[in-house]
Amino acid sequence: MGFRKVRLDLRETTRLTFTVPARDLSAWSGGGWNLVPGRYTVHAGRSSRDLPLQRVVTV
């Protein structure tokens, strides 16, 4: 996991793009890492206690 700080003025918007490695969506099973298909919700905000933005992605 990682993070990046982006500062915006009031009412300013921007688009962020990032890549989630397949292993971050994998589980250890059968002696190796296996990608777990499904729906994942990605959250963004000021801190882990303030995550007002979210997007659902399907793998």
Side-chain angles (χ1 to χ4, degrees):
M1 292 290 160
F3 69 93
R4 178 177 170 198
K5 186 181 282 190
V6 178
R7 294 187 185 274
L8 300 173
D9 290 330
L10 186 62
R11 295 187 183 88
E12 184 179 7
T13 64
T14 191
R15 179 180 294 265
L16 301 176
T17 303
F18 58 93
T19 302
V20 177
R23 185 161 175 182
D24 288 352
L25 302 174
S26 299
W28 183 263
S29 175
W33 290 102
N34 295 294
L35 184 64
V36 179
R39 291 170 47 102
Y40 294 86
T41 303
V42 178
H43 298 269
R46 293 178 165 260
S47 72
S48 62
R49 294 182 180 182
D50 178 20
L51 299 169
L53 306 174
Q54 63 181 8
R55 178 70 55 145
V56 175
V57 294
T58 303
V59 174

